[in-house]
Amino acid sequence: MTDRKAAITAVGHYLPEERLTNRDLEKLVDTSDEWITSRTGIKERRILRDPDKATSYMAVRAAQMVLDRRGIGADEVDLIIIATVTPDMMFPATACLVQAELGAGKAWGFDVLAACSGFLFALSAAARFIESGKHEKVLVIGADKMSTIVDYTDRTTCILFGDGAGAVLLEANTDGNGILDSMERVDGNDWKGLCMLGGGSLHPASPTSVEKRLHYLYQDGQPVFKRAVVGMAGVAEAIMKRNNLTGDDVRYLVPHQANLRIIDATARRMGIPMEKVMLNIERYGNTTAATLPLCLADWEHELVPGDNLILAAFGGGFSWGSTWVKWAYDAASLNSTH
Ligand code: UT7
């Protein structure tokens, strides 16, 4: 064990300006604002319409915001890890594209493909590089252009997802703050409940794969819902127990934003009241790998050093996890980007 921890030292985000509201979706599929709001808590999501701009476009902007606020150059970054299920292309890794665009000359990088748990898994991997002393500055970015894999003729999924990116910088901390514990899980037995079949080596692009709509996300909502509640609450409770934390010790639960009812059920099981839960699903929908850093970006100004955050996520795979973060900085100490 070492006292050198990986702490988040700045947060950045990028959200496309275009809003896709529930009313807009009423014109595309047989749905209603009332159904979407009551079943999911979502009112609108952001869409990156420009076909020439992909996930790396959003990731670069979120990362640049982090660097500007922290007041460091891209040349100081050692490693870039990107969590995404919508990479610009199969390869090279989106991390390579972001590295080049940022001008992060000495950084290496890779992508993490873990759906809605991607940011948590990437954060966990990044923390090891800091704790071990191998690296000083690591960028972790969650970014997804979900609108490119959402089938806008399928009312059960198209109402859920949006586009966006969030990024954090990790640096060493010896004050007792930082990423203090994490739990990661996968269970591939029921992977068919949430997947995109097309485009990989099993179903490469072909006229048939397009005709069968295999290049779109598929979800069997109800079983995923049940697994999400059990999975997220289970690991979040376990991490609290392992570290002797009670609901009173937790400043905020930071849950993956897939469905307000999942979040509500998770918080209830953990004994955490909703006023201590970060929630922005109403405005952004499910941005997959970006939900957690987008929450941190929205609540950063309220956080003070020493605040306990419990991050939790569940997604395709199935994959899920939870991370205990002791917040390490005051947002007022960073540069203003406005
Ligand atoms: O982020 C990764 C992990 N993903 C999740 O955590 C998502 C988990 N699942 C969910 O959030 C929910 O299951 C959904 C929001 C996807 C669906 O909500 P639900 O309460 O589970 O609805 P349901 O699938 O049981 O469908 C209930 C009814 C069905 O009609 P019938 O069969 O009862 O006549 C659906 O056809 O609602 C219908 N329906 C809709 N109606 C209006 C499904 N989608 C819509 C819609 N508008 N958009």
Side-chain angles (χ1 to χ4, degrees):
M1 289 295 281
T2 167
D3 289 324
R4 182 180 157 106
K5 297 294 180 193
I8 295 172
T9 56
V11 180
H13 69 280
Y14 177 82
L15 287 156
E17 279 180 17
E18 183 175 332
R19 290 156 203 262
L20 182 68
T21 66
N22 291 351
R23 296 277 178 223
D24 296 329
L25 286 164
E26 285 177 355
K27 293 174 202 142
L28 294 178
V29 288
D30 180 16
T31 192
S32 65
D33 175 44
E34 195 284 326
W35 193 96
I36 302 171
T37 307
S38 62
R39 297 288 180 124
T40 71
I42 303 168
K43 281 288 193 189
E44 62 181 36
R45 341 73 203 115
R46 301 298 183 92
I47 302 292
L48 183 60
R49 190 69 63 185
D50 187 341
D52 294 326
K53 294 188 169 85
T55 294
S56 66
Y57 176 88
M58 298 189 290
V60 165
R61 273 143 193 85
Q64 191 61 59
M65 185 174 175
V66 166
L67 300 177
D68 292 345
R69 296 189 68 222
R70 184 73 182 90
I72 64 168
D75 55 345
E76 293 183 54
V77 175
D78 300 301
L79 168 63
I80 299 169
I81 308 181
I82 303 206
T84 186
V85 290
T86 52
D88 286 25
M89 54 199 97
M90 286 293 284
F91 74 90
T94 301
C96 300
L97 308 175
V98 171
Q99 179 268 345
E101 191 67 30
L102 285 175
K106 74 172 180 188
W108 67 292
F110 57 90
D111 292 359
V112 169
L113 188 67
C116 299
S117 303
F119 182 78
L120 271 195
F121 288 9
L123 199 63
S124 189
R128 306 291 94 79
F129 286 99
I130 299 280
E131 287 162 5
S132 66
K134 181 170 171 63
H135 289 319
E136 297 300 325
K137 290 180 170 51
V138 180
L139 272 173
V140 182
I141 307 169
D144 269 304
K145 187 175 177 180
M146 294 304 292
S147 59
T148 58
I149 61 167
V150 163
D151 182 350
Y152 286 98
T153 66
D154 174 9
R155 69 175 182 172
T156 68
T157 52
C158 74
I159 52 137
L160 298 171
F161 296 94
D163 302 337
V168 301
L169 182 70
L170 290 189
E171 295 180 86
N173 181 295
T174 51
D175 298 343
N177 294 329
I179 295 167
L180 299 191
D181 197 9
S182 68
M183 285 186 182
E184 301 80 15
R185 299 279 184 275
V186 300
D187 177 0
N189 285 301
D190 296 318
W191 66 270
K192 285 181 183 160
L194 180 49
C195 59
M196 190 177 84
L197 288 172
S201 53
L202 185 61
H203 300 288
S206 69
T208 312
S209 73
V210 172
E211 194 189 319
K212 289 185 169 172
R213 308 182 85 75
L214 300 188
H215 300 276
Y216 291 121
L217 171 152
Y218 167 81
Q219 177 171 257
D220 188 5
Q222 285 231 349
V224 178
F225 187 104
K226 288 176 191 149
R227 287 289 297 263
V229 175
V230 175
M232 284 218 295
V235 280
E237 273 179 326
I239 211 167
M240 285 170 65
K241 196 169 173 205
R242 182 155 90 179
N243 293 287
N244 298 317
L245 294 169
T246 66
D248 288 344
D249 299 318
V250 175
R251 178 79 200 282
Y252 275 109
L253 169 66
V254 190
H256 172 53
Q257 312 278 305
N259 186 317
L260 179 57
R261 290 183 296 138
I262 295 176
I263 296 170
D264 188 48
T266 304
R268 224 173 300 164
R269 284 194 186 196
M270 293 171 66
I272 292 183
M274 285 306 274
E275 59 268 23
K276 295 212 295 187
V277 178
M278 293 190 189
L279 264 184
N280 56 20
I281 190 171
E282 183 177 331
R283 286 172 288 141
Y284 311 141
N286 184 349
T287 53
T288 304
T291 60
L292 297 183
L294 285 176
C295 281
L296 295 178
D298 278 350
W299 268 265
E300 182 200 32
H301 62 282
E302 281 189 26
L303 302 175
V304 296
D307 279 350
N308 289 308
L309 307 182
I310 300 291
L311 281 56
F314 182 92
F318 293 127
S319 59
W320 67 103
S322 183
T323 301
W324 172 28
V325 173
K326 224 181 224 308
W327 198 248
Y329 69 94
D330 191 329
S333 66
L334 299 181
N335 295 330
S336 164
T337 49
H338 304 297

